[in-house]
Amino acid sequence: MNLAATARRTLPTLAVAAPTAMTLQADEAARIRATLARVDIFRDLPREAIEDLSRRVRLRRVLGGATVFQQDDAGDALYIILAGRVKIVMTGGRGREVTLAVLRPTEIFGELALFDGSARSAAAVAIDPTTVLALTQSDLTGHLTAHPRTAMRLLGELSRRLRRANEAIAELALLDVHERLVRRLVKLARDDAEERPDGFVIRRKPTQSDLASMVGACRETVSRAVNQLVRRGLLENCGRSMVVKHEVFRMASASSLPL
């Protein structure tokens, strides 16, 4: 008799337990708390404030290319990005789009309409499959009543948004398309923060239509400006990514406006 084969037949089979629904919920709740604690306006808040927020937010998943909300929708919640990217887009009367911001995990959006009762001034569109946390107006009010320190942090964020809006107005008024493009490329590269010896990498290369929307110009004009930078060796296309060379950063720093 083959003793090894007999032993294999008689050994009990050990079952590997699958994660339970309760375990998955606990993991998700921990991820939500960790994300909230990294959001600028919630950072350094007491633990009980983060716990209160985590109980109030609702998880929402959005397909890439789908809208979180439309321009002119009623403002009923603010959103925090848990995963993915969202662009904030304003559309004019002729259908022309301007991208106001590209947002990443831990950034918030949609808060302005909660305070003045107006409709959404811009649309929010998921660039990738995205997961957001929604905090309704009533839940935000309840949280601010219980934790007034958050209100001061929120005021600071609104001040920063106003400052960035003023900077965008100044760029449109004082800089040409080439200068605005250089500044936008630098900001995108800084957001990804992946440095190489010769420059910084934008991991997901924006299309020329995307760049045109970001700098407030037509695609053809931006295409010529991008091609000029490539020919001068200041930009390098690497498949789905793009390398912004250090000289582009120096050009942006030499601008008449602070970067």
Side-chain angles (χ1 to χ4, degrees):
M1 179 179 293
N2 189 327
L3 295 179
T6 302
R8 284 196 297 270
R9 287 196 298 271
T10 57
L11 284 174
T13 300
L14 297 177
V16 178
T20 64
M22 186 174 296
T23 301
L24 293 175
Q25 289 175 358
D27 289 345
E28 191 167 80
R31 184 186 177 198
I32 289 171
R33 288 194 297 271
T35 298
L36 290 171
R38 295 198 308 273
V39 175
D40 279 345
I41 65 171
F42 303 142
R43 190 175 294 154
D44 301 326
L45 288 179
R47 181 177 177 179
E48 56 268 23
I50 298 298
E51 291 285 350
D52 180 68
L53 284 166
S54 69
R55 290 190 294 268
R56 294 177 184 274
V57 295
R58 296 293 178 267
L59 199 68
R60 179 179 167 190
R61 292 182 171 86
V62 186
L63 296 175
T67 58
V68 182
F69 54 74
Q70 297 276 11
Q71 188 171 326
D72 296 325
D73 280 355
D76 57 353
L78 67 78
Y79 297 88
I80 302 149
I81 303 176
L82 188 64
R85 294 180 300 158
V86 171
K87 63 179 179 179
I88 307 301
V89 180
M90 183 176 289
T91 305
R94 298 180 182 178
R96 182 176 172 182
E97 289 187 352
V98 175
T99 300
L100 304 178
V102 175
L103 306 176
R104 290 168 169 77
T106 74
E107 294 193 274
I108 70 170
F109 61 96
E111 72 283 0
L112 292 180
L114 299 187
F115 295 101
D116 64 4
S118 299
R120 300 287 190 189
S121 58
V125 182
I127 300 174
D128 315 307
T130 296
T131 305
V132 296
L133 303 172
L135 183 65
T136 65
Q137 185 175 35
S138 60
D139 276 316
L140 176 62
T141 302
H143 173 78
L144 294 179
T145 300
H147 302 278
R149 182 176 169 185
T150 307
M152 295 303 299
R153 303 299 297 271
L154 188 55
L155 285 173
E157 176 63 21
L158 293 176
S159 297
R160 286 188 290 273
R161 296 285 173 95
L162 180 58
R163 191 182 304 276
R164 286 197 292 269
N166 289 338
E167 291 170 356
I169 293 169
E171 285 186 2
L172 288 170
L174 302 175
L175 303 181
D176 62 25
V177 171
H178 186 273
E179 290 174 305
R180 298 203 301 271
L181 174 63
V182 164
R183 291 168 66 88
R184 177 55 59 180
L185 290 171
V186 166
K187 289 175 182 177
L188 290 173
R190 283 180 173 173
D191 286 342
D192 279 351
E194 182 179 327
E195 188 172 10
R196 294 189 348 179
D198 56 343
F200 282 80
V201 178
I202 299 175
R203 289 190 291 269
R204 296 182 180 91
K205 180 173 63 180
T207 67
Q208 292 182 356
S209 295
D210 289 337
L211 287 173
S213 178
M214 292 176 189
V215 302
C218 67
R219 189 186 65 79
E220 291 77 10
T221 301
V222 168
S223 177
R224 288 193 295 270
V226 169
N227 290 336
Q228 184 182 19
L229 291 171
V230 171
R231 286 194 301 270
R232 293 172 60 188
L234 301 178
L235 284 182
E236 181 183 348
N237 291 312
C238 301
R240 295 183 178 180
S241 63
M242 172 185 285
V243 180
V244 181
K245 301 301 180 67
H246 290 303
E247 178 61 26
V248 178
F249 284 74
R250 287 189 282 272
M251 292 166 60
S253 298
S255 169
S256 59
L257 293 176
L259 185 64

